[in-house]
Amino acid sequence: MHTALLRKCSITYLLLPNLLFSLGWFRQAHAIFLIMGFLYLFMIECTKKDRNEKLSLKDMLFVLLLALLWTFFCGIHGLSTQSMDWLAHQAKFYDLYKNDWPLYFKDVDRYACYYFGYYLVPSFISKWSGHLLPMVWVLWTCFGFFLGLSWIYVLINKNKSLLVVFLFIRGIGQLIILVFNKLGAGNINLPIYNPSIRSVFEQSIYAPNQVIPAVIVCGIVVHDLVCRKKEEESFFVITLAFIWGVFPAMVLVLLYAALVVNKYFFKRDIEQLNLKNILHWYLLPGLLFTPAFVYFLSSQSIVTKGFLWSFGAIQPVMIGYLTGIMVDLAMFYVVVFSLNKNYFPAWFIHLIFTGIFLLSQYRMGIYSDLFFRGSIPLCIILVVCILRGLDTNIRTGQWGQKRSFFIAFSLMSFLFLNGILVKSPLLRDNILANFYLGKRDTYRVYAYDSYPNTYQTLRFGYKDEEGAKQYLGSEDSLYKKYLSRNNK
C-alpha cells in the first residue's frame, strides 16, 4: 500500500462522520451544500499521486497486530478494564443509536452540543441494523488506530520496535512527588488538573475519540511537511478533525497557520499561490467548516476555567507544576535536540514546546481538558521527531560518535519504561485474564444504557452538574435558529 492510498483511506475515515453529521444536524439545503463540497474536495484528494513510501503486506500485518492490541487494552467494550471516561463514551454511542439526530434532551428542553464524530459511523450502522452493535464500534476504533499507526510507521522509517515505543513514551508526571511522599519527605496532594505529558496509549484510555484523529492528522501533516514538501495542502484534513475533537483540531489549525506563514512570508515560496489553489486549499475547506463552527459556538460556556494559580492553594499547584510538566519539558527538550537531524526545523520544534508550555498554564474544564487534549498533537509530533532521530542515528552509525546520544537514549528509555509500568495492570485486568485467572474487583466495565441519555450520564453518573451543562446548546443560538435540522 502506497502512502497515496493510505492518505485516501485516512481522509475517507475522517470524512464519513462529517457526511453523517451534515445529514443529521443541518437543514436539507445546508446538508446538500456541505456534502457536495466535501465530495468535491475528496475527489481532488483522490487525484494526488504521492508514492514516496510503500507498506508491504508484512508491514501492514505488523501494524494491524499492534492496532488490535491497542484496541484490546484501551478499554473499549470492556475488553480491558475501563477508565471512568468510558461511561460517557458508551452513553454517547448508545444515545446516538437510540435517538433521532440531532440529539435533543427532552428532560431539559435543550439539544446536545458536542463533537460526536467518533461515534457516528458505528451508531449509524447500529441504527440501520436495528440493534446496538458494539463490535462494529470496536472494529471502527481498530481501523482508526491502524491508519494512525501506519502514518507513524512511515514517518519513523518503518522501524517496528520504535513503533511500540511511540505508544508508551511519556513524561514522569507526578513521580517525583510520589517518591518524596513514599520516603516520608513530604505529604503533598497534587490537584487532579496538574499538567504532565501523557503517552499516546494513556491518552487513548481516556479519550480515543480525540487520539484517533490526532494521530491520523498529525501523520498526514508531518508527511506533507517533510516528505511531500506541500504543507499547504493539509488544511482540509485538519478541518475534518473538528467533529472528532475540538481541542486537538484547534491546536492543529494554529500549527498549520504557523507553517503557512513560514512558507509564504519567510521562505517566500508563493509561486503556487493562485486563485484555484487558494480556493481548494483554504477557502472551500474553511467555508465547509463554518456550519460546524457555528454549532460548536452554540455550546454553553465552560464554567471551570482560568490560570492554574487561580484555583485554591497555590503552593501544591506550583510544586506539582515545577516537578511535573516543567521537568517533562526539560527532559523532552534534551532528547529532541540530541537526536533531531534536521528532520524538523528548529523553529518548528521550539514552537511546539512553546505551545505545550502555554497550554499547561491554563485550566479549562475540571480535568484541564484544554491542556490534556490540546497537547495530544504537539506531543505526537515531538515523539515522532525523537524516534525519527533515534532511527537515523542507529542506521547511519552516528550513535557512537556523540556523548549526547547516550544521554538522550537513557532518558528516552526511562520515559518509555515509565509509560509501560504505569499501565502494566491492564495485563491482568482484561477479559481474557479474568476468564482464565479469575475475576478481580479492579476489572471495571460499564453498561451502555446505565442512564437515559448523555446528559443524565454526566449529571448523575459523574455527579457533575456543571459538566453536564457543557453538553447543552444555548436556547437562542444561531445554530438553533438557522441551521438545526429540527428547530424545536
Side-chain angles (χ1 to χ4, degrees):
M1 179 173 67
H2 287 283
T3 49
L5 179 57
L6 177 60
R7 186 187 184 98
K8 293 178 181 65
C9 291
S10 299
I11 293 177
T12 301
Y13 183 85
L14 296 172
L15 177 60
L16 285 175
N18 281 270
L19 297 177
L20 291 175
F21 183 72
S22 300
L23 285 171
W25 267 256
F26 298 110
R27 295 178 185 177
Q28 188 176 40
H30 299 99
I32 292 174
F33 168 77
L34 290 172
I35 291 172
M36 291 179 62
F38 283 133
L39 294 179
Y40 174 70
L41 290 180
F42 178 70
M43 289 176 60
I44 294 175
E45 288 289 338
C46 289
T47 63
K48 295 177 181 178
K49 304 294 184 182
D50 172 43
R51 293 180 177 272
N52 288 329
E53 296 285 349
K54 181 180 180 180
L55 295 178
S56 66
L57 178 60
K58 185 178 179 180
D59 291 330
M60 293 172 62
L61 289 175
F62 171 78
V63 175
L64 179 60
L65 175 62
L66 190 57
L68 287 168
L69 291 172
W70 188 1
T71 304
F72 180 81
F73 286 109
C74 77
I76 189 169
H77 194 43
L79 300 178
S80 291
T81 190
Q82 297 180 320
S83 68
M84 198 169 183
D85 292 67
W86 281 103
L87 174 61
H89 289 310
Q90 296 187 162
K92 294 165 196 170
F93 176 43
Y94 185 76
D95 209 352
L96 288 164
Y97 153 71
K98 184 180 65 173
N99 297 307
D100 294 332
W101 299 352
L103 290 184
Y104 193 82
F105 302 134
K106 295 180 181 179
D107 44 340
V108 288
D109 194 28
R110 297 285 187 89
Y111 63 86
C113 187
Y114 188 77
Y115 33 95
F116 290 110
Y118 172 54
Y119 320 93
L120 290 180
V121 171
S123 63
F124 175 78
I125 295 174
S126 295
K127 272 181 176 291
W128 179 74
S129 70
H131 303 281
L132 186 69
L133 301 174
M135 286 311 299
V136 172
W137 192 24
V138 173
L139 294 174
W140 175 251
T141 302
C142 183
F143 188 49
F145 286 153
F146 170 77
L147 293 172
L149 286 174
S150 295
W151 282 111
I152 303 303
Y153 188 59
V154 168
L155 294 173
I156 61 175
N157 291 324
K158 295 187 280 191
N159 189 312
K160 293 180 174 62
S161 299
L162 294 185
L163 188 62
V164 178
V165 174
F166 165 77
L167 288 176
F168 294 100
I169 189 169
R170 73 187 298 272
I172 62 172
Q174 302 175 2
L175 181 61
I176 293 176
I177 298 302
L178 179 63
V179 171
F180 270 91
N181 287 344
K182 289 288 186 181
L183 295 175
N187 187 23
I188 303 172
N189 294 316
L190 298 181
I192 56 175
Y193 52 85
N194 185 67
S196 61
I197 295 179
R198 291 176 174 174
S199 68
V200 175
F201 175 75
E202 189 173 5
Q203 290 276 18
S204 72
I205 290 174
Y206 303 104
N209 58 325
Q210 304 191 58
V211 169
I212 290 174
V215 178
I216 294 174
V217 175
C218 282
I220 294 175
V221 170
V222 173
H223 190 263
D224 283 349
L225 173 65
V226 302
C227 299
R228 299 179 66 238
K229 308 297 182 183
K230 296 180 179 180
E231 59 269 31
E232 67 276 3
E233 297 185 16
S234 303
F235 185 52
F236 173 52
V237 183
I238 294 173
T239 60
L240 294 178
F242 269 92
I243 68 163
W244 291 75
V246 170
F247 289 142
M250 286 172 52
V251 171
L252 282 165
V253 166
L254 295 175
L255 204 59
Y256 173 78
L259 291 173
V260 170
V261 169
N262 178 69
K263 182 179 182 68
Y264 295 137
F265 291 92
F266 292 97
K267 289 184 177 180
R268 301 187 182 278
D269 186 12
I270 60 174
E271 65 274 4
Q272 293 183 329
L273 198 59
N274 54 50
L275 183 60
K276 179 181 177 181
N277 289 337
I278 290 175
L279 176 65
H280 290 166
W281 295 342
Y282 308 113
L283 294 183
L284 188 52
L287 183 62
L288 294 174
F289 167 66
T290 301
F293 181 67
V294 173
Y295 169 75
F296 290 132
L297 287 179
S298 70
S299 175
Q300 294 193 165
S301 61
I302 297 176
V303 176
T304 305
K305 56 183 177 180
F307 290 100
L308 291 183
W309 49 86
S310 303
F311 303 93
I314 190 172
Q315 184 177 4
V317 172
M318 294 309 299
I319 291 176
Y321 188 85
L322 294 174
T323 60
I325 188 63
M326 292 306 293
V327 172
D328 287 352
L329 288 175
M331 295 176 73
F332 272 81
Y333 191 87
V334 171
V335 174
V336 167
F337 282 98
S338 297
L339 298 176
N340 183 36
K341 294 296 181 181
N342 299 318
Y343 187 52
F344 295 127
W347 71 266
F348 185 66
I349 297 297
H350 282 108
L351 179 65
I352 291 175
F353 275 105
T354 301
I356 297 175
F357 173 71
L358 292 176
L359 288 173
S360 69
Q361 298 184 56
Y362 195 81
R363 181 187 180 190
M364 184 177 291
I366 294 177
Y367 297 100
S368 196
D369 289 344
L370 175 63
F371 169 75
F372 282 112
R373 309 305 173 228
S375 66
I376 291 174
L378 302 179
C379 294
I380 288 171
I381 295 174
L382 279 185
V383 173
V384 167
C385 182
I386 290 171
L387 299 181
R388 173 78 177 205
L390 179 62
D391 178 80
T392 301
N393 275 270
I394 294 174
R395 286 178 184 269
T396 59
Q398 298 178 7
W399 62 273
Q401 302 175 13
K402 294 190 306 180
R403 184 179 301 174
S404 61
F405 172 85
F406 296 99
I407 297 174
F409 182 80
S410 299
L411 282 175
M412 194 200 70
S413 300
F414 170 68
L415 296 175
F416 168 67
L417 292 174
N418 183 40
I420 289 285
L421 291 173
V422 166
K423 294 304 172 186
S424 59
L426 290 175
L427 294 172
R428 179 60 179 86
D429 292 331
N430 60 72
I431 192 171
L432 292 178
N434 273 256
F435 179 79
Y436 289 106
L437 303 177
K439 294 183 178 180
R440 296 207 311 179
D441 293 337
T442 49
Y443 178 46
R444 178 175 55 186
V445 178
Y446 296 102
Y448 287 88
D449 56 352
S450 299
Y451 298 91
N453 56 44
T454 306
Y455 175 76
Q456 298 290 351
T457 301
L458 270 292
R459 186 180 179 186
F460 299 109
Y462 290 89
K463 296 179 175 58
D464 183 6
E465 187 77 30
E466 296 302 325
K469 291 179 181 178
Q470 294 171 23
Y471 281 68
L472 304 179
S474 300
E475 288 184 295
D476 57 349
S477 68
L478 293 176
Y479 167 76
K480 182 178 180 180
K481 290 180 179 178
Y482 304 110
L483 298 177
S484 177
R485 192 167 69 91
N486 293 328
N487 189 16
K488 297 184 180 182

